[in-house]
Amino acid sequence: MSTDLHATLLQQVKQGDNNAFNQLYKAYKLDAFKFAMHMLRDTEEAENMVHDLFTKIWHNKNRIKPEQNFRSFLFTCLRNLVLDHIKREKRNRIAFQSYINESCQKEDPIGVRERRYRMIQTAMNALSDKRREIIYMCFVDGKSYQEIADSYSISKNTVKNQLVKAKQLLRDQLKPKMLIA
């Protein structure tokens, strides 16, 4: 494309001429794509960068200087867009990697379960023998209140009261350790 034709097309684009813009787009889109592809090595991202480039040129058409070398201007803008994209992607990867590293540094679920189990065992051991046995019979063995009452020769209401008190004592012991809310 000749320099005079460039200057004419650029002047027309600056004035909002869609046809002139389409001619510039058709003249440079393939070279711009190849350039972006060389830097990004990703077809979809290269296409997006070329699209963004021409969109920015259209939105900033009033800044176009018809006397300047448009090709040089175009590829400088494209290089800057691609470099900004690469920086953004790098920041995102670093942020993601930091998140992964933090997650890996935290205790693994097995370690957490083991620690919680030990804390619960310690809290259970702080209960009286009778309350601890009632808790086990109810929640581990799955016995009904009546079955527990019969085995201790106490009323069903006493079993309920002992469970309420035992659970409250467990909550009081475990809540500071943030095991339960």
Side-chain angles (χ1 to χ4, degrees):
M1 198 176 282
S2 72
T3 307
D4 291 340
L5 183 56
H6 263 104
T8 305
L9 284 175
L10 290 173
Q11 188 60 42
Q12 291 171 344
V13 168
K14 191 171 183 171
Q15 294 170 356
D17 186 337
N18 283 329
N19 290 332
F21 182 75
N22 286 335
Q23 286 180 24
L24 282 176
Y25 176 76
K26 287 176 185 174
Y28 290 105
K29 73 176 178 179
L30 184 58
D31 289 339
F33 172 76
K34 288 177 184 176
F35 182 79
M37 186 64 187
H38 173 74
M39 291 182 75
L40 295 168
R41 306 213 187 293
D42 182 331
T43 304
E44 188 175 332
E45 287 301 323
E47 288 172 352
N48 289 340
M49 289 295 111
V50 172
H51 175 75
D52 290 350
L53 170 70
F54 281 98
T55 301
K56 284 182 185 264
I57 289 173
W58 179 254
H59 288 294
N60 294 297
K61 61 186 170 274
N62 57 339
R63 294 183 182 173
I64 292 176
K65 298 175 185 166
E67 65 279 357
Q68 80 181 41
N69 182 337
F70 181 72
R71 182 177 177 81
S72 175
F73 169 75
L74 182 85
F75 285 98
T76 299
C77 290
L78 181 56
R79 180 180 57 90
N80 291 338
L81 274 175
V82 169
L83 290 175
D84 287 346
H85 173 75
I86 290 170
K87 286 177 192 173
R88 223 177 8 261
E89 287 296 310
K90 185 177 180 182
R91 278 194 307 269
N92 290 344
R93 276 194 307 273
I94 289 170
F96 181 71
Q97 191 60 45
S98 294
Y99 172 76
I100 295 297
N101 289 342
E102 287 175 20
S103 296
C104 290
Q105 289 173 355
K106 293 179 181 173
E107 292 184 63
D108 63 320
I110 294 170
V112 170
R113 274 186 261 139
E114 287 177 11
R115 193 176 93 237
R116 284 184 178 172
Y117 177 79
R118 285 192 306 272
M119 293 167 102
I120 291 169
Q121 282 300 107
T122 302
M124 289 288 289
N125 289 337
L127 296 175
S128 69
D129 290 341
K130 185 175 185 180
R131 285 186 180 149
R132 185 173 49 251
E133 288 172 16
I134 290 174
I135 288 273
Y136 275 112
M137 291 174 84
C138 182
F139 295 108
V140 177
D141 298 337
K143 295 192 179 212
S144 70
Y145 294 164
Q146 191 59 56
E147 290 173 315
I148 297 169
D150 292 344
S151 66
Y152 280 105
S153 301
I154 56 176
S155 73
K156 189 174 168 181
N157 279 341
T158 303
V159 171
K160 288 180 185 179
N161 289 336
Q162 290 295 319
L163 280 171
V164 168
K165 288 177 183 175
K167 288 192 288 185
Q168 186 57 50
L169 288 169
L170 289 173
R171 271 192 212 98
D172 292 344
Q173 288 229 347
L174 297 173
K175 194 172 188 175
K177 296 171 182 148
M178 298 181 69
L179 284 172
I180 55 175

